[in-house]
């Protein structure tokens, strides 16, 4: 299965000059925990809800702080056409919870640990449904 089949869209993208207060509002409104920071094509960084807590609140920085000052610049991404196993491996190796997904040089989605767990749960349910059906149906006795 491909990452594009399980990723979340759309991605929230903000420019580096965006105040962290506005980034937090974007996260709340969109129900996401990670925002891509970009100016034009490419990606300058990402900022997570944890980054805001640790790099803004814990450091007594104000809400007007530009997100470019607190974002993570070393961005690890996966490709939309990669198999989901690639995302599992990257998430495990880096202890991330979210990964931007790229296609043709642009960020097109976000894959999260939750996305992958939901997919695994669905696959398990799909595999077990015929078994449960067979077990629960009365068996005909030949007589």
């Amino acid at each position: 299965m491909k990452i594009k089949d399980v990723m979340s869209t759309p991605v929230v993208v903000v420019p580096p000059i965006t105040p962290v207060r506005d980034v937090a509002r974007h996260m709340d409104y969109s129900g996401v925990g990670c925002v891509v920071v970009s100016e034009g094509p490419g990606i300058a960084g990402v900022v997570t809800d944890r980054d805001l807590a640790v790099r803004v609140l814990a450091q007594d920085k104000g809400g007007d702080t530009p997100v470019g000052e607190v974002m993570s610049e070393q961005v690890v991404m996966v490709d939309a056409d990669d198999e989901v196993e690639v995302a599992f491996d990257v998430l495990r190796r880096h202890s991330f919870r979210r990964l931007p997904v790229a296609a043709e040089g642009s960020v097109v989605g976000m894959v999260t640990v939750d996305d992958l767990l939901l997919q695994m749960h669905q696959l398990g349910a799909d595999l077990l449904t015929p078994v449960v059906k067979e077990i629960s149906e009365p068996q005909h006795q030949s007589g």
Side-chain angles (χ1 to χ4, degrees):
M1 177 172 291
K2 304 287 185 189
I3 291 173
K4 65 184 172 188
D5 298 324
V6 298
M7 70 183 187
S8 300
T9 59
V11 179
V12 178
V13 180
V14 298
I17 62 168
T18 306
V20 292
R21 176 185 302 107
D22 293 345
V23 172
R25 288 179 180 148
H26 280 298
M27 287 178 171
D28 180 39
Y29 177 79
S30 301
V32 298
C34 184
V35 171
V36 171
V37 182
S38 179
E39 246 176 350
I43 183 171
V46 295
V47 67
T48 66
D49 45 10
R50 185 175 190 282
D51 292 332
L52 296 180
V54 172
R55 297 180 186 165
V56 178
L57 291 174
Q59 301 298 320
D60 291 325
K61 293 185 179 184
D64 293 327
T65 303
V67 71
E69 291 182 17
V70 298
M71 69 184 181
S72 297
E73 295 178 19
Q74 302 299 322
V75 180
V76 177
M77 295 194 299
V78 290
D79 192 270
D81 287 323
D82 286 341
E83 296 292 327
V84 293
E85 289 81 9
V86 172
F88 277 111
D89 184 52
V90 172
L91 290 165
R92 186 175 35 252
R93 276 189 289 123
H94 295 280
S95 298
F96 293 154
R97 292 190 39 108
R98 304 168 183 96
L99 287 171
V101 180
E104 299 177 14
S106 297
V107 178
V108 295
M110 193 72 65
V111 65
T112 68
V113 170
D114 292 349
D115 294 330
L116 296 174
L117 289 173
L118 286 171
Q119 186 60 35
M120 286 176 39
H121 176 73
Q122 185 59 50
L123 288 172
D126 291 347
L127 286 171
L128 288 175
T129 298
V131 173
V132 170
K133 184 177 178 184
E134 185 176 319
I135 291 171
S136 63
E137 288 181 359
Q139 299 297 314
H140 297 288
Q141 303 270 341
S142 58

